[in-house]
Amino acid sequence: MIAEVHYIAALFFVNFILSVVSYPLSGLLFPKFSDRGYAFSALLGWVSVSYIHFLLSTLGILKISLSGSLLSLMIWGGINALIQWKLKPIQISRSILLKVSTANILFLALVIFWTWVRGHNPEIYQIERFMDFGFIQSLMNTESLPLYDMWYSGEILNYYYFGHMIGFEVLTLSNIPMVPGFFVLVVWMFGTVGVGVYRLASEYYLYIFGVKYGKWTSILAGIVGLFLGLFSGTIHSAIWLWSYVNNWLTEAPLESFWYAEPTRFIEGTITEMPIYSFIVADLHAHVWGMFFGIIIFALFLGLWQKKHHRFSLLNIHIIAITISIGLAYITNAWDALTLGAVSMMLLVLLYCMYDLSKFDWRFLTILAIPFGSLAISLPWSYFFEAPLGGIGVVDPASKVYEWSMYWGGFAIILLISGIVFLFQQRLRALKHIKEHSLWYLFGFGGVSAFWLLGYALKSFAIKQGNEGLIGTFLMLIVWAAVIVLAVIWLSDLLFKKVSKRVQLIAGISAGIAIFWILMEHIYFKDILTDGEWFRANTVFKISTQVWIWLSIIIPSLIIYLVTSIKHWGGKLLITLLVVGLLGVHAIYPFKAIAQANTANREFIGFDRGLDWWKNKLPYDYEAYQFLKEYRDALPEDDKVRYIVEADGDSYQDNNMFSIFLGWPSIIGWPVHEWTWHGSYDDVDSKRKDVVELYIGTDIDMSRKLLREYQIDFIILGQVEKRLYEDRGLQTEKLESLGTVIFENAETKIIQIQK
């Protein structure tokens, strides 16, 4: 635990320094937030320093190194110093210091709690941990960008890795080693997301209600948002609870609990709640993407709080939103779709919807924002080739029962809030309909007709085997028309004269509903298209982002429901419903955290993240330690070496040396590489080359392959013997190709002389 105290102290200190350095820009962006944006300043700082370093390294100006990180931090500090000097957005007061202290105490408490949880099970083992570790270790080794692919020798990484670049900055500036640093990043993200969601839920409440119900209610809203965003499970827990209680009453065997089940309950999909991602210590792109959901929703609240709304591309909030969408794209490309779409919709709602005479030029100007975001993404997107194979039609869609077990708790609150709001607006709406009866008859008829046409075209596309491009394209146009017609019609009917507060919440709610609908109608094709999991990646990458949006607005909707219903019976019913839903959602974290991490385990700490390797493949692990010392002794600008090792299936005990050394191997995790490149041909060719090296008898061919891939070391270890010994492993040939520089009972490392 002493080591963990050191890691937490170093992390907290650097995070606090960066939050102070970044506070002027936060104060400029969020002047009406109760803490003037301090809760987001550290996150904005890490993202900005990382992008400065990312950009300048891609241009060849800075190296990926500690010095590059420090220079990027100095540039960022200079920008904020200039902002404070010229504009003075931060004025220190007692209330501000209290908010700053609260944010830091909450961050530290969350970090300590999750350190305790993860310290019971700190294995960097299987699932995406292997890949995420390898990405960050590769960044530790390289001195330039774009980043090389550790599993595709000689090629750049055709995957989004800006989130891992942020992780590199955190560990480098905190001076924390990579193995314990992996879980330090997990707990840092846990604390950062928690603080962000808490503050946003509280600020959205304050924007809608002010202090009408007392300042403590805003704290309650923040706590509910923190729970939903960081700890909440789903209604699926009710299934387990019902079975458990029923079996207990009938003296039958008690129902077992499996913490992964809710994430695979909707057939053919992967739907991870944030708590699940943190339980499995995931540093995958969709988890890093939560940062940008928090940032962009904070920016929209800051934009909505302005008194005057003159649209300009030079508006600091518009600039920040444009940059954030671009950075979301290079962190998790799917978030360019989700956050980009909801941003466009909210901007149109704010600037165009209620003054249709200005719809034309403002709408066209807003469309310029995606081009700005694309420009921001160029240091990565210029080298990226999207491996998608087009758009498909979902067939079959989710079963209502399964969908409800995942999204039902949120959907109930959204639905009831909408019904209550519509009921309260009914008199004004009925009067408006009477005055404009023909318009609303046309609107209702148009929406209904287009809706039916959309289903007809979807059925046509499905009958074409999901390959009917024209049918799919027409379906998308029709669904877009449905959405536009519905939004214009309903907004004119219901929202034209309501407050901006309602417009913001309604716009976000509409965005959530749209993505719920889209996930049930279309998916982006990849290598899984022909199987049962054809839309798994689409749903997986979108659902986590939408979950964060819900955790931000649901607390305000809960308070709206409880306070807007005046009849005591209705108020009691709503209160019981809300408490019941939150209670069911609270079952999951209690059960899952214990089952996955703490139950029947002792706290062993982050330094023992590779103990599984030492215990399972001890001779390979000893060889890794030898090469790690070799790598660490290399000059800072020359830490990359090329290796050949046995490749194998994803998530298995293969490619350990390329993962934990961060050195490129000829091929690794073939299915992942197939997914990233969209073709198996080159992957298959590289796999055959590896087989040829290990079991082929032609020594000249082996020498040719070693030269072609610029191999420095051949790994001949326990994994290679397991895979190739029965197929004619050519040990003597391999040894003759170089010099054995390390050897134990099972593993040899052969260095190739160049």
Side-chain angles (χ1 to χ4, degrees), residues 177-210:
M178 187 60 219
V179 170
F182 184 88
F183 287 103
V184 170
L185 287 177
V186 172
V187 302
W188 168 74
M189 293 177 74
F190 188 80
T192 301
V193 170
V195 170
V197 173
Y198 168 84
R199 179 49 56 197
L200 263 187
S202 179
E203 294 298 332
Y204 267 76
Y205 164 81
L206 287 171
Y207 176 64
I208 295 170
F209 296 102

Side-chain angles (χ1 to χ4, degrees), residues 651-665:
Y651 311 116
Q652 304 303 314
D653 302 340
N654 308 301
N655 300 106
M656 295 298 102
F657 287 88
S658 55
I659 291 168
F660 292 107
L661 291 170
W663 284 352
S665 183

Side-chain angles (χ1 to χ4, degrees), residues 361-434:
W361 70 267
R362 289 189 177 183
F363 180 72
L364 293 174
T365 307
I366 288 172
L367 289 181
I369 291 174
F371 294 98
S373 299
L374 181 61
I376 293 296
S377 76
L378 280 176
W380 171 81
S381 61
Y382 179 80
F383 305 97
F384 177 68
E385 296 181 9
L388 297 175
I391 297 175
V393 180
V394 173
D395 180 38
S398 304
K399 297 174 182 176
V400 174
Y401 166 69
E402 293 176 354
W403 188 93
S404 299
M405 289 299 100
Y406 188 80
W407 295 111
F410 293 124
I412 289 171
I413 299 298
L414 282 176
L415 181 62
I416 295 177
S417 299
I419 291 172
V420 170
F421 176 76
L422 292 175
F423 180 78
Q424 292 178 341
Q425 295 290 312
R426 68 192 186 284
L427 293 178
R428 189 193 64 81
L430 289 172
K431 181 181 179 182
H432 198 71
I433 290 173
K434 185 176 180 180

Side-chain angles (χ1 to χ4, degrees), residues 442-456 478 482 485:
F442 168 77
F444 179 76
V447 171
S448 301
F450 272 96
W451 192 276
L452 292 173
L453 181 59
Y455 269 110
V478 167
V482 169
L485 273 173

Side-chain angles (χ1 to χ4, degrees), residues 467-480:
E467 299 297 333
L469 182 60
I470 295 176
T472 303
F473 181 70
L474 288 174
M475 185 201 73
L476 291 175
I477 292 177
V478 167
W479 283 119

Side-chain angles (χ1 to χ4, degrees), residues 599-619:
N600 302 315
R601 290 186 174 97
E602 296 181 355
F603 184 93
I604 60 175
F606 294 166
D607 287 322
R608 295 174 60 180
L610 298 185
D611 276 11
W612 67 269
W613 194 8
K614 181 166 58 175
N615 296 329
K616 195 170 186 178
L617 299 166
Y619 300 106

Side-chain angles (χ1 to χ4, degrees), residues 542-731:
I542 292 176
S543 58
T544 302
Q545 188 63 249
V546 172
W547 187 287
I548 288 296
W549 305 354
L550 285 160
S551 68
I552 292 167
I553 67 166
I554 286 295
S556 294
L557 294 180
I558 289 174
I559 294 171
Y560 165 72
L561 285 175
V562 173
T563 57
S564 63
I565 297 176
K566 303 305 180 184
H567 189 276
W568 71 268
K571 191 183 292 288
L572 177 62
L573 186 63
I574 286 295
T575 302
L576 291 174
L577 174 66
V578 168
V579 172
L581 287 174
L582 293 178
V584 169
H585 280 239
I587 293 173
Y588 183 83
F590 283 103
K591 297 290 294 183
I593 290 173
Q595 185 181 70
N597 291 305
T598 60
N600 302 315
R601 290 186 174 97
E602 296 181 355
F603 184 93
I604 60 175
F606 294 166
D607 287 322
R608 295 174 60 180
L610 298 185
D611 276 11
W612 67 269
W613 194 8
K614 181 166 58 175
N615 296 329
K616 195 170 186 178
L617 299 166
Y619 300 106
D620 280 3
Y621 179 77
E622 186 181 348
Y624 156 74
Q625 290 290 349
F626 172 83
L627 285 177
K628 179 178 179 296
E629 291 178 8
Y630 176 92
R631 183 201 64 198
D632 293 345
L634 292 170
E636 287 296 321
D637 59 352
D638 187 31
K639 286 192 175 295
V640 180
R641 295 292 184 268
Y642 292 83
I643 64 174
V644 57
E645 62 182 336
D647 77 277
D649 294 333
S650 302
Y651 311 116
Q652 304 303 314
D653 302 340
N654 308 301
N655 300 106
M656 295 298 102
F657 287 88
S658 55
I659 291 168
F660 292 107
L661 291 170
W663 284 352
S665 183
I666 293 177
I667 187 67
W669 284 29
V671 174
H672 272 65
E673 289 294 347
W674 179 14
T675 303
W676 299 343
H677 293 273
S679 170
Y680 191 70
D681 294 342
D682 197 38
V683 172
D684 186 53
S685 176
K686 289 179 182 292
R687 297 193 77 180
K688 290 177 179 177
D689 288 343
V690 172
V691 172
E692 174 64 30
L693 280 167
Y694 280 105
I695 68 175
T697 57
D698 188 339
I699 192 167
D700 291 330
M701 174 60 73
S702 295
R703 289 193 176 111
K704 178 179 178 294
L705 291 172
L706 292 176
R707 287 194 301 270
E708 179 182 339
Y709 290 108
Q710 303 178 45
I711 298 301
D712 295 288
F713 299 102
I714 299 173
I715 308 298
L716 183 56
Q718 292 174 273
V719 173
E720 287 70 32
K721 291 178 179 178
R722 183 189 72 206
L723 293 176
Y724 300 126
E725 204 156 46
D726 293 341
R727 299 170 62 185
L729 179 63
Q730 298 294 306
T731 302

Side-chain angles (χ1 to χ4, degrees), residues 24 71 88 107 133 217 228 231 239 359 366 402 451 469 508 529 576 588 606 621 623 631 748 754:
L71 285 170
K88 295 181 173 52
F107 173 76
F133 186 101
T217 313
L228 293 174
F231 294 98
I239 300 175
F359 187 86
I366 288 172
E402 293 176 354
W451 192 276
L469 182 60
I508 295 172
T529 294
L576 291 174
Y588 183 83
F606 294 166
Y621 179 77
R631 183 201 64 198
K748 296 178 181 179
K754 293 185 179 180

